[in-house]
Amino acid sequence: MPETSVERSSRAAFRYPNFRYYLLARLLTTISSEMQSVAVGWQVYAITHRPLDLGLMGLAQFLPGVCLFLAAGHIADRVARQRILQTCLVGFSICSSLLLLFTLNRAAFGHVSVYPIYAVMLLNGTVRAFNAPASQAFLPLLVPREVFPNAVAWTSSVFQTAAIAGPMLGGILYGVTGSPVMVYLLAGVAYLGGFFLISGLRLVVHERPKTAASLGIVLNGLKYIWANKLVLGAISLDLFAVLLGGAVALLPVYAREILGVGATGLGVLRSAPGVGAVLTSLAIAHWPLKRRAGLAMLWCVFGFGVFTIAFGLSRSLAFSLIMLLLIGASDIISVIVRSTMIQLGTPDAMRGRVSAVNMVFVGASNEVGQFESGLTAQWFGAVPAVVLGGIGTILIVAAWACLFPSLRSLDRLVADKGASVEE
């Protein structure tokens, strides 16, 4: 089928006001999350000087998601997703305020325990558990199907732009002031800005299912993914590859002890994967993956492992930054392929449940990967932990290429209006 002028436009999704407002809200909230993450990581490591505590921070944010994902997905399919996002943004702002109060209290009374930070991270993880599936399932409601891949690419670009600006802003503010106070204050305000932007969206209200909840309905997301081997292969590949290749989790250790660049340098290091990712996602927005999307994803995850090993062995700031750029560039292709495949291939009535399962995989790869990296670094040291993780990622790619042949044969992500993928 010939492409329409809308499909050919690299900015097709921007024709829709709801998408523009959503994108701006995502920019604000992601910047807040990223700069807050840098501040929390540096603050905790400055207090305890233990890599394990960096891992525990990830575990604290992951546990609520794995405990609540079935309920969160079910709610995303039964409650207006706009209302869920509004509530979650207020919740994120409250978490930032609690971190601010803890820091001010510590400055006033000299308290050094990190347990209050763990408690706030658990609350933050609870909010994320409900925000993530609603946000993923919300995007297809903002643009027509034929421009959805373009919307995914631009959403990824904005996310990665925020992933660049957030850590740099957080690191600079922490480095200049010597305190995370301004970071937490700005994060709380920005979350509220996202709340007002989401509140301004004007959507056609669709009737939500009135049937009573049952265990079978709640588990439909798991059943769908298990039956769809292409989707199962894609999200499990991301799970194990990123879980093992979690170099970013140990960046506070590299910044403080290996590269010696301080809090400001940590912000720059944390931003580097985002730079690589945003450049790659912008390129994909202009020149979409038209053929052999599955092979491109597999080779890029393989590259993710190779670049992780190289970063782990590096003692040069410049070379480390280049490797982090390449890590981000290779990772974003997998994200775009997987997101497009899942959202276009899933009926809207169950997108929330499927997205919730997907976000558990994503959360496991990020937060459990952070815990795994922190634990491994505590046992063997930071460098062996990163190198072994990169090797594990390469082995996972080789295994998944054999176990899921549909990944190798995945060709076009969007064939026509009636199909989402073409093998």
Side-chain angles (χ1 to χ4, degrees):
M1 176 180 290
E3 291 181 323
T4 67
S5 59
V6 172
E7 292 171 309
R8 287 197 301 269
S9 172
S10 63
R11 296 173 58 85
F14 284 91
R15 300 185 179 197
Y16 303 92
N18 282 335
F19 177 73
R20 295 197 298 269
Y21 286 123
Y22 171 82
L23 214 57
L24 182 55
R26 186 171 175 84
L27 176 68
L28 282 176
T29 56
T30 306
I31 286 177
S32 302
S33 297
E34 292 294 325
M35 68 180 187
Q36 185 169 280
S37 178
V38 167
V40 170
W42 189 262
Q43 185 179 26
V44 168
Y45 193 66
I47 293 171
T48 68
H49 301 286
R50 294 196 311 165
L52 178 60
D53 289 294
L54 298 174
L56 291 174
M57 295 300 296
L59 191 62
Q61 293 193 78
F62 170 72
L63 286 177
V66 77
C67 294
L68 297 171
F69 79 98
L70 289 175
H74 183 64
I75 289 173
D77 284 334
R78 294 178 65 88
V79 178
R81 292 162 190 162
Q82 185 177 14
R83 189 183 310 163
I84 296 173
L85 295 180
Q86 290 170 308
T87 304
C88 289
L89 287 167
V90 172
F92 284 134
S93 185
I94 290 172
C95 290
S96 298
S97 300
L98 291 173
L99 289 171
L100 175 62
L101 289 174
F102 163 78
T103 303
L104 293 174
N105 182 69
R106 179 172 178 264
F109 300 104
H111 296 168
V112 295
S113 173
V114 295
Y115 291 114
I117 299 181
Y118 289 147
V120 176
M121 290 298 100
L122 280 169
L123 177 60
N124 194 74
T126 301
V127 178
R128 284 177 54 183
F130 289 93
N131 180 77
S135 182
Q136 274 207 349
F138 191 57
L139 182 58
L141 304 179
L142 305 179
V143 296
R145 177 186 180 88
E146 60 268 20
V147 301
F148 183 75
N150 180 258
V152 171
W154 278 110
T155 302
S156 298
S157 299
V158 166
F159 175 84
Q160 296 301 336
T161 300
I164 298 166
M168 291 187 69
L169 180 59
I172 290 171
L173 285 174
Y174 203 133
V176 170
T177 64
S179 167
V181 167
M182 284 302 297
V183 176
Y184 299 148
L185 179 61
L186 288 177
V189 172
Y191 282 129
L192 291 179
F195 166 82
F196 288 114
L197 285 167
I198 292 296
S199 300
L201 299 184
R202 296 294 177 260
L203 301 173
V204 176
V205 178
H206 297 279
E207 284 293 321
R208 292 293 173 188
K210 302 297 184 182
T211 55
S214 68
L215 183 61
I217 292 174
V218 172
L219 293 176
N220 276 346
L222 284 171
K223 294 176 182 177
Y224 173 85
I225 289 176
W226 182 256
N228 191 324
K229 300 305 180 186
L230 181 61
V231 173
L232 176 64
I235 64 175
S236 58
L237 172 66
D238 179 82
L239 164 66
F240 290 107
V242 180
L243 189 152
L244 294 172
V248 173
L250 297 176
L251 285 182
V253 181
Y254 272 79
R256 190 181 187 99
E257 298 178 5
I258 297 176
L259 299 175
V261 293
T264 302
L266 172 61
V268 175
L269 290 170
R270 279 291 303 268
S271 297
V275 174
V278 74
L279 293 175
T280 302
S281 55
L282 284 172
I284 291 176
H286 287 82
W287 301 285
L289 291 171
K290 294 184 177 179
R291 305 303 300 266
R292 299 181 179 177
L295 282 176
M297 180 172 63
L298 286 168
W299 277 112
C300 286
V301 178
F302 180 87
F304 179 91
V306 172
F307 303 138
T308 297
I309 294 171
F311 168 80
L313 297 173
S314 173
R315 295 297 182 274
S316 162
L317 176 59
F319 185 76
S320 296
L321 287 171
I322 292 172
M323 291 302 102
L324 289 171
L325 283 167
L326 294 173
I327 285 172
S330 55
D331 180 55
I332 197 62
I333 293 178
S334 173
V335 170
I336 291 174
V337 171
R338 187 182 70 251
S339 298
T340 303
M341 182 194 313
I342 292 173
Q343 295 303 324
L344 287 188
T346 305
D348 179 67
M350 62 182 298
R351 276 198 184 112
R353 282 161 288 176
V354 172
S355 295
V357 177
N358 180 47
M359 294 313 298
V360 168
F361 279 76
V362 173
S365 65
N366 292 325
E367 276 77 36
V368 176
Q370 183 176 338
F371 175 70
E372 178 271 333
S373 296
L375 188 62
T376 308
Q378 188 74 25
W379 289 342
F380 306 114
V383 173
V386 173
V387 171
L388 289 172
I391 293 171
T393 297
I394 292 172
L395 295 176
I396 286 295
V397 173
W400 258 236
C402 297
L403 292 172
F404 296 93
S406 56
L407 282 179
R408 299 196 313 269
S409 60
L410 174 64
D411 192 18
R412 299 179 63 189
L413 289 176
V414 179
D416 52 44
K417 285 193 174 184
S420 57
V421 295
E422 179 184 289
E423 296 183 30

